[in-house]
């Protein structure tokens, strides 16, 4: 059974290559999928349910939309920053940037659940958007680093296929929970 090799530095050449079937047998691949699923789930709940949630708090629709847009605006430069950080500190640092990004998304969700003012909602947008941006760049490099270039496209596409489950289920589950319970609270906690 193949195991994932240790990450190499950014300057070191890749001397190995996994097939997609080998990658599927390695726990690291499944950890990357689970983490991506969690990030995708949180992001898709936010992009589909955030405006109605904020309107329910009494925040005007235009402000709620601006909060959603701010998340994207904050996330975009974070992708570049994380790429630079990975280049600067080497590929061994990828997991830390990914973990920080996921942690910021969790903290952002906690802020949103606890928010009782529009100011805290803006803090949520900054924190969650930063985390979301960090979680985009890291897996791209992580998969190349752990599994090599030979089947990179197939391995990455396999990861994305699993992540589409989160893309589809997150909005449906959160909408169903709202319709059933009258609140987004549980959907945001999950």
């Amino acid at each position: 059974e193949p195991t994932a090799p240790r990450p190499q530095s950014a300057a070191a050449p890749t001397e190995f290559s996994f097939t997609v079937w080998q990658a599927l047998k390695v726990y690291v691949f499944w950890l990357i999928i689970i983490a991506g699923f969690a990030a995708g789930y949180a992001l898709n709940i936010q992009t589909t349910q955030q405006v109605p949630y904020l309107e329910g708090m009494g925040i005007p629709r235009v402000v709620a939309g601006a909060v959603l847009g701010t998340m994207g605006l904050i996330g975009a430069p974070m992708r570049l920053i994380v790429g630079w950080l990975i280049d600067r500190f080497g590929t061994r640092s990828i997991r830390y940037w990914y973990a920080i990004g996921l942690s910021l998304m969790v903290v952002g969700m906690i802020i949103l659940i606890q928010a009782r003012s529009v100011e805290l909602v803006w803090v949520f947008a900054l924190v969650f958007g930063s985390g979301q941006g960090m979680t985009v760049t890291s897996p791209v490099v992580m998969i190349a680093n752990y599994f090599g270039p030979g089947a990179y496209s197939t391995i990455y596409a396999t990861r994305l296929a699993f992540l589409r489950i989160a893309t589809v289920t997150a909005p449906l589950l959160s909408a169903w929970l709202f319709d059933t319970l009258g609140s987004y609270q549980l959907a945001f906690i999950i």
Side-chain angles (χ1 to χ4, degrees), residues 49 171-184 187:
Q49 309 299 319
L172 293 173
L173 178 61
S174 60
W176 178 79
L177 286 170
F178 179 80
D179 290 345
T180 303
L181 304 173
S183 168
Y184 286 109

Side-chain angles (χ1 to χ4, degrees), residues 106-163:
V106 168
V107 169
M109 292 298 291
I110 292 168
I111 291 169
L112 182 62
I113 290 168
Q114 299 297 319
R116 299 293 175 256
S117 69
V118 72
E119 292 82 13
L120 275 179
V121 171
W122 285 110
V123 171
F124 151 77
L126 295 173
V127 172
F128 188 91
S130 295
Q132 188 276 326
M134 292 178 80
T135 64
V136 172
T137 306
S138 299
V140 175
V141 180
M142 204 178 301
I143 288 174
N145 189 53
Y146 276 106
F147 303 108
Y152 172 81
S153 298
T154 307
I155 293 169
Y156 194 79
T158 302
R159 173 188 173 267
L160 290 179
F162 282 102
L163 269 53

Side-chain angles (χ1 to χ4, degrees), residues 33-175:
I33 286 178
I34 291 166
F37 188 93
Y41 183 87
L43 178 64
N44 283 291
I45 283 179
Q46 290 309 313
T47 57
T48 61
Q49 309 299 319
Q50 183 185 98
V51 171
Y53 176 75
L54 295 177
E55 284 183 306
M57 288 176 53
I59 295 174
R61 180 175 291 178
V62 70
V63 174
V67 168
L68 185 58
T70 298
M71 282 175 25
L73 287 173
I74 296 299
M78 289 306 294
R79 296 172 187 193
L80 296 172
I81 291 168
V82 167
W84 177 82
L85 289 168
I86 291 168
D87 287 344
R88 171 74 173 87
F89 294 103
T91 55
R92 288 181 182 256
S93 69
I94 299 168
R95 59 185 162 205
Y96 301 114
W97 306 123
Y98 197 46
I100 291 167
L102 291 169
S103 298
L104 286 172
M105 290 178 76
V106 168
V107 169
M109 292 298 291
I110 292 168
I111 291 169
L112 182 62
I113 290 168
Q114 299 297 319
R116 299 293 175 256
S117 69
V118 72
E119 292 82 13
L120 275 179
V121 171
W122 285 110
V123 171
F124 151 77
L126 295 173
V127 172
F128 188 91
S130 295
Q132 188 276 326
M134 292 178 80
T135 64
V136 172
T137 306
S138 299
V140 175
V141 180
M142 204 178 301
I143 288 174
N145 189 53
Y146 276 106
F147 303 108
Y152 172 81
S153 298
T154 307
I155 293 169
Y156 194 79
T158 302
R159 173 188 173 267
L160 290 179
F162 282 102
L163 269 53
R164 292 307 158 242
I165 296 168
T167 303
V168 171
T169 59
L172 293 173
L173 178 61
S174 60

